[in-house]
Amino acid sequence: AIEYAVDDATVSFNPRFLLDPLKALTKDKVTFEFRDDMSPGVFRTDGPKEGDHLSFLCVVMPIRTDLLHTPFVPRKRHVRPAE
């Protein structure tokens, strides 16, 4: 089950970077936290027993999707005339 602690948000991550830490985990309960669309996401788990100190931490960076919607405009090349 997924539990949300705040309002909906839109953040993009490379799926491979999300799956790699999840494949390495053996715990059933994982916390994934992020602050906004440009802040890193953080995977966390508790220690061996519920309430123990942190036993797993992984930071993943989001992808800037605002650049994907901007049309590509090639730069003009400035060529000096031959002397």
Side-chain angles (χ1 to χ4, degrees), residues 12-53:
S12 298
F13 292 95
N14 181 326
R16 182 179 300 158
F17 295 154
L18 295 178
L19 290 175
D20 285 346
L22 292 174
K23 289 178 186 177
L25 291 171
T26 57
K27 297 228 161 234
D28 291 332
K29 184 177 178 182
V30 177
T31 302
F32 183 70
E33 303 170 341
F34 61 91
R35 188 175 352 168
D36 55 42
D37 63 340
M38 292 308 299
S39 296
V42 179
F43 285 99
R44 299 173 189 265
T45 65
D46 288 336
K49 296 178 183 173
E50 190 68 30
D52 282 354
H53 292 290

